[in-house]
Amino acid sequence: MHAFDVLGDPVRRRILELLSGGGHSSGEICAVIQEEFGISQPAVSQHLKVLRDNGFASVRAEGTRRLYAIDPGPLREVDMWLEQFRRFWAQPLDALATEVARGRREGRGAAGNRTSRKA
């Protein structure tokens, strides 16, 4: 399965979002996904299997629990593929960062003027 086929499913993307904050047990993942998507525990397990089989997640046993973690390898491959498109958003994002910084500087200057008037 191609990486974008794996990532094309919103349930699997959400599982990866959960795992990006650190490892979780299969029970924790199931509880969140069942609540958010209204799917069964076997369906969640199937999504976890797809992530494992395609290298996006790893699992290890800890007693009776199965702990899942993100495996960054396939995500690096996706990132490398996206590199060719970054030029389409890098410059507008840089311009936005400049405007935000300019607004902060102007805000500090205005705040400084207010405090100096009180003195």
Side-chain angles (χ1 to χ4, degrees):
M1 187 178 281
H2 189 275
F4 287 106
D5 294 326
V6 174
L7 298 174
D9 187 279
V11 172
R12 291 192 287 267
R13 286 195 309 270
R14 180 63 177 122
I15 292 170
L16 288 174
E17 288 171 2
L18 291 171
L19 294 177
S20 72
H24 290 283
S25 71
S26 57
E28 292 168 334
I29 295 166
C30 281
V32 171
I33 298 302
Q34 286 178 303
E35 174 71 25
E36 292 181 9
F37 291 90
I39 62 176
S40 67
Q41 182 275 327
V44 176
S45 294
Q46 193 61 34
H47 284 291
L48 287 167
K49 181 179 179 347
V50 169
L51 291 170
R52 273 192 334 265
D53 289 351
N54 289 280
F56 284 86
S58 61
V59 64
R60 67 181 171 82
E62 187 176 276
T64 59
R65 296 173 34 170
R66 295 176 63 79
L67 299 176
Y68 285 83
I70 230 171
D71 188 338
L75 294 172
R76 281 191 213 102
E77 292 174 23
V78 170
D79 186 53
M80 288 171 41
W81 185 83
L82 285 170
E83 183 61 38
Q84 64 188 319
F85 301 103
R86 281 202 173 75
R87 63 188 166 97
F88 294 113
W89 66 78
Q91 187 175 4
L93 287 176
D94 290 344
L96 176 61
T98 299
E99 290 303 315
V100 168
R102 181 176 294 137
R104 285 187 182 141
R105 280 194 306 272
E106 290 172 0
R108 279 195 302 262
N113 290 339
R114 277 183 263 149
T115 55
S116 63
R117 285 186 211 142
K118 291 179 183 178

